Amino acid sequence: MLLKMVLVSAIIVAFTAVFFRPRFPETASNVGTKTARGLAMKLLQLLEFCGSLVGISPVVTSRALASGLLFAGKSAPDIQETTTEIEGVEVLILRPTGQTDKLRPGIIHIHGGGWVFMSPAHYRPFTQALSRQTGSVVISINYRLAPEYPFPIPFEDCLKATRRILKKPEKYGIDPRKIGIIGDSSGGNLAAAVSLNITNHDGLRTDHFRFLALLYPALQMTDFQIPAYRDNQYGPGFLDKHRMLSFWLWYAFGDLEHYDPFWDNRHFGEIDEKHKRMVSVKLLPDFLRKENTDSKSQLNSKFTDARLPDNYKDILLNPMFAPLMASDEELSMFPPTYIVNAEFDVLRDDGFMFAERLKRVGVRVKHSYLPSEEHGILMFPENDLEAKQAFGDLVENLNEALK
């Protein structure tokens, strides 16, 4: 009897998995691997839901499963690693072995994970490759995580550590003339916010950063009806609208209490026109625009009974929280910027909008668009030929900037 129950359950799970599997179009590369990652994410969401029924936070479930990925972060014989603290913030420092007395280029790295999970340890294969292929000292910041520590705490942790590195780079074996900053996803948000603060408000030299590299960054919480969110609302990439909205809410408010009004975009009608223009589809290239997208964004903008916190606009429109809300004058101070975006990603348009705004104010921008890839692809260069090429392009651009 038990064997029959197990067999029936396995068949039901298999058929359910096949039915709900991510369906990538023919333009996607390496569909089998992408589908497997998507199924893993759907399983995670199912486990989070089941856990929530018995009082286990989805954050706890996500972190527990993410800890299983740490097996991938093995030490490398050609990379020296040190864990220490800078201004009370834990960091992982990686440098190529040999010639330790020589000042090297420096890369400040801020990890992704929706501000909620992951750590420098999860990113060791990425940062090891970055250090190895650029010959740089890579300092990966282990900032405190939401929802226990919502905005501005993760940003302030990254800012404190970065300020100290920039003021005393030689202490870490870094050439003060050759420093850049990089982040992916939520880490891209933090890297852009840190750069924005330092180049505009910190009194440090604006040429401290030789580059800013943003890999599929999260840059705005103003409009969840732009084309990328509409196109990828339910996938096929593993970062869908539900996942990203949850991350934003945990970072902004520390909970999901206001999920429904944000999902329906009811907050959009209360945003002033100046800030709406900062996320307008007019900033997108023609091939990404969708007919009547602006008007559709406002169809759900009715603000009645939204029950949002009193300070929500103070957070959403703060450029340190959402860098796309920065003024043109603030953006004009940015260092040369390298941006990567993928097609199957709700954050696709954030990067396109940011690149266009930076170009309009005279910042040198290189923008790499991966039309057959999904969010997070640069974490898998060994499993995807296009990801390997994209990582090579990233390294080439960083090496050029650090000359």
Side-chain angles (χ1 to χ4, degrees), residues 50-81:
C50 293
S52 67
L53 296 178
V54 294
I56 301 175
S57 166
V59 174
V60 173
T61 305
S62 294
R63 289 175 181 169
L65 293 176
S67 65
L69 300 175
L70 288 175
F71 71 90
K74 299 177 181 178
S75 60
D78 60 334
I79 301 295
Q80 176 187 340
E81 298 183 12

Side-chain angles (χ1 to χ4, degrees), residues 29 58 70 125 135 141 154-155 176 182 218 240 253 279 285 318 362 374 391 397:
S29 70
L70 288 175
I141 301 174
F155 161 70
I182 183 172
D240 57 16
F253 309 117
V279 293
N318 185 339
E374 65 176 329
F391 187 82
N397 277 276

Side-chain angles (χ1 to χ4, degrees), residues 174-192:
I174 294 174
D175 185 336
R177 303 165 300 171
K178 300 179 180 181
I179 303 174
I181 183 168
I182 183 172
D184 72 306
S185 194
S186 56
N189 168 284
L190 293 167

Side-chain angles (χ1 to χ4, degrees), residues 94-202:
L94 306 94
R95 72 182 75 241
T97 56
Q99 297 182 321
T100 54
D101 57 336
K102 174 185 175 184
L103 292 180
R104 296 180 176 273
I107 298 177
I108 298 167
H109 170 259
I110 306 180
H111 71 81
W115 305 279
V116 169
F117 65 108
M118 306 292 272
S119 70
H122 292 91
Y123 276 75
R124 285 171 80 193
F126 178 83
T127 50
Q128 286 169 355
L130 208 58
S131 178
R132 180 181 301 116
Q133 296 188 38
T134 63
S136 300
V137 176
V138 177
I139 302 182
S140 189
I141 301 174
N142 195 19
Y143 55 89
R144 286 173 289 178
L145 299 173
E148 296 89 345
Y149 301 100
F151 178 80
I153 294 172
F155 161 70
E156 289 176 342
D157 282 353
C158 295
L159 183 60
K160 281 193 302 183
T162 301
R163 280 176 174 165
R164 176 54 55 184
I165 295 166
L166 293 180
K167 289 177 179 177
K168 298 287 185 181
E170 295 88 351
K171 178 179 178 180
Y172 308 101
I174 294 174
D175 185 336
R177 303 165 300 171
K178 300 179 180 181
I179 303 174
I181 183 168
I182 183 172
D184 72 306
S185 194
S186 56
N189 168 284
L190 293 167
V194 166
S195 183
L196 184 67
N197 181 282
I198 285 174
T199 56
N200 283 275
H201 309 297
D202 224 15

Side-chain angles (χ1 to χ4, degrees), residues 9 12-14 16-17 20 37-54 56-58 61-62 65 238 240 242-243:
S9 299
I12 292 173
V13 169
T16 302
F20 287 106
R37 285 198 293 263
L39 284 172
M41 184 56 66
K42 288 183 181 297
L43 175 61
L44 171 59
Q45 291 176 348
L46 177 62
L47 292 174
E48 288 175 348
F49 173 74
C50 293
S52 67
L53 296 178
V54 294
I56 301 175
S57 166
T61 305
S62 294
L65 293 176
F238 65 82
D240 57 16
H242 162 74
R243 198 77 180 156

